[in-house]
Amino acid sequence: MGRKNDIIPIKPEKGLPLIDCHCHFPSDELPRSLKKGNKSIEKLNEEQYRDFFENHNGKYIVTSTSIWGVDFRQKFRETHDNMLLTIGWGAQATTYATPEEWKVDYPKYYEYLEKNTDKYDVIGEIGIDFHHAKTFKKREHQIDIFEEMIQKTKHLGKKYSLHVRNPTQNDRDPNSPNASYNDRDICNDLILDILEAEKIPPSDVMWHCFSGPAEWGKMLGDKGYYISIPSSAYGFKKWRRNIQDVPLDRLLAETDASAQHPYTMGAFNTPSNVEYSLAAIAYVNEMAQMDIAKQVLKNAKVFFDIN
């Protein structure tokens, strides 16, 4: 659980209009805490969907998937209203994909993007993650693949959802501990250089689950990028400190469910908990939660082209 002095002293208000701008719902397997019970994954997903739309004034859920999960989530989307879909090849996949997956699934990913533009809304999550790539070779590989992804997809006219994770002290390359790839904001720098070189409009890019450093929030927002704040900002200062000074018209909210629970490390998260992200944004900005919720919904409708 988040430290008591980390959890903000306000509760999410009831009735806020909600949009979860990034999650991995529906789930394709039960969380460990429920595997011993009688509940099926289908029932759990239906309960989460109804809870969001019937009990929490939910408006839209944006689900993020990979080439391996797209059929499952696309099928769910086709039978449930107000669901948007993003599809990516994550930085983790770049590091951990098997030779067979690189041979078969990586080309399949691009083929899906080309042939199914009507079935997804945004490309992502894609990006660079130096927690999951600690050596120079693996980091260079992630950079090359991200650049290739932008170059191969920018003609599609789709927007992007980014996964960007800078290295911490624990992620330093053991063979080159003083290299620039260990800098606290190196992934941000690399991503920004590629986006600018490829002339991707900032308004077409969302930095999902923005993890800082804090001073980057205002800088990116001022450039026109969208900054998405996870529900964990409610109970953890390390996420909440990244909200400060981000322009209000660039802010989005997400759960990253089933991860990023609002106040309990490792607990199962659900789209309805995006209200905790809104509460955190309102608290930091000293504004009414309803005003923040309306602004975030307005921003999301612009970014995701929701009429």
Side-chain angles (χ1 to χ4, degrees), residues 132-147:
H132 288 283
K134 292 183 173 64
T135 65
F136 180 83
K137 183 178 180 180
K138 290 180 179 179
R139 290 176 173 181
E140 286 279 291
H141 185 48
Q142 282 202 2
I143 296 165
D144 290 344
I145 292 299
F146 176 73
E147 184 174 34

Side-chain angles (χ1 to χ4, degrees), residues 2 15 21 55 58 102 111 157 168 179 200 202 209 220 272 280-281 291 301:
C21 293
N55 300 333
W102 278 109
E111 182 181 2
T168 67
I200 304 301
C209 201
L220 290 171
S272 295
I281 296 170
D291 291 341
K301 285 184 174 181

Side-chain angles (χ1 to χ4, degrees), residues 92-126:
Q92 296 97 317
T94 298
T95 295
Y96 302 121
T98 66
E100 182 67 14
E101 288 169 336
W102 278 109
K103 180 181 178 180
V104 176
D105 296 323
Y106 187 60
K108 184 179 177 182
Y109 171 62
Y110 287 111
E111 182 181 2
Y112 184 92
L113 293 180
E114 289 280 355
K115 294 183 176 180
N116 298 278
T117 54
D118 60 326
K119 293 184 178 180
Y120 66 95
D121 301 282
V122 170
I123 295 172
E125 56 190 272
I126 60 173

Side-chain angles (χ1 to χ4, degrees), residues 49-297:
Y49 181 85
R50 290 198 305 272
D51 184 58
F52 182 83
F53 287 103
E54 296 176 11
N55 300 333
H56 286 84
N57 196 22
K59 303 302 181 183
Y60 304 94
I61 294 175
V62 184
T63 181
S64 180
T65 191
S66 65
I67 192 62
W68 298 287
V70 67
D71 290 341
F72 166 69
R73 290 192 171 92
Q74 182 63 42
K75 183 178 180 180
F76 188 91
R77 181 195 188 196
E78 289 172 354
T79 57
H80 295 76
D81 293 335
N82 297 334
M83 297 281 297
L84 288 82
L85 182 71
T86 79
I87 177 170
W89 180 277
Q92 296 97 317
T94 298
T95 295
Y96 302 121
T98 66
E100 182 67 14
E101 288 169 336
W102 278 109
K103 180 181 178 180
V104 176
D105 296 323
Y106 187 60
K108 184 179 177 182
Y109 171 62
Y110 287 111
E111 182 181 2
Y112 184 92
L113 293 180
E114 289 280 355
K115 294 183 176 180
N116 298 278
T117 54
D118 60 326
K119 293 184 178 180
Y120 66 95
D121 301 282
V122 170
I123 295 172
E125 56 190 272
I126 60 173
I128 299 174
D129 183 329
F130 282 0
H131 171 72
H132 288 283
K134 292 183 173 64
T135 65
F136 180 83
K137 183 178 180 180
K138 290 180 179 179
R139 290 176 173 181
E140 286 279 291
H141 185 48
Q142 282 202 2
I143 296 165
D144 290 344
I145 292 299
F146 176 73
E147 184 174 34
E148 180 177 271
M149 286 181 180
I150 297 297
Q151 291 171 346
K152 285 188 172 183
T153 61
K154 63 182 182 180
H155 70 282
L156 295 171
K158 293 286 187 176
K159 296 180 180 180
Y160 293 97
S161 174
L162 302 184
H163 171 109
V164 186
R165 188 171 180 179
N166 294 289
T168 67
Q169 290 294 317
N170 295 329
D171 300 320
R172 300 179 75 84
D173 181 349
N175 298 315
S176 304
N178 298 314
S180 63
Y181 281 175
N182 296 315
D183 292 349
R184 63 191 286 269
D185 58 358
I186 184 61
C187 294
N188 293 6
D189 272 328
L190 292 166
I191 290 279
L192 201 58
D193 286 347
I194 292 170
L195 293 176
E196 291 179 348
E198 297 300 328
K199 297 181 172 55
I200 304 301
S203 59
D204 286 356
V205 178
M206 176 181 88
W207 294 61
H208 128 72
C209 201
F210 181 64
S211 59
E215 64 271 16
W216 275 78
K218 175 175 170 50
M219 187 267 282
L220 290 171
D222 286 344
K223 285 179 176 288
Y225 293 98
Y226 285 91
I227 304 298
S228 188
I229 305 301
S231 48
S232 51
Y234 181 83
F236 298 90
K237 285 182 180 178
K238 73 173 186 176
W239 295 102
R240 192 163 61 248
R241 64 192 176 198
N242 300 317
I243 300 171
Q244 193 72 46
D245 298 324
V246 177
L248 293 178
D249 66 349
R250 297 293 104 180
L251 280 167
L252 299 172
E254 65 172 83
T255 61
D256 202 14
S258 60
Q260 299 293 339
H261 188 273
Y263 48 82
T264 303
M265 188 77 73
F268 183 77
N269 202 9
T270 182
S272 295
N273 282 341
V274 73
E275 64 185 7
Y276 286 91
S277 173
L278 298 174
I281 296 170
Y283 178 76
V284 170
N285 285 284
E286 299 181 341
M287 291 178 61
Q289 292 186 46
M290 182 59 75
D291 291 341
I292 289 295
K294 289 180 178 179
Q295 181 66 57
V296 165
L297 181 59

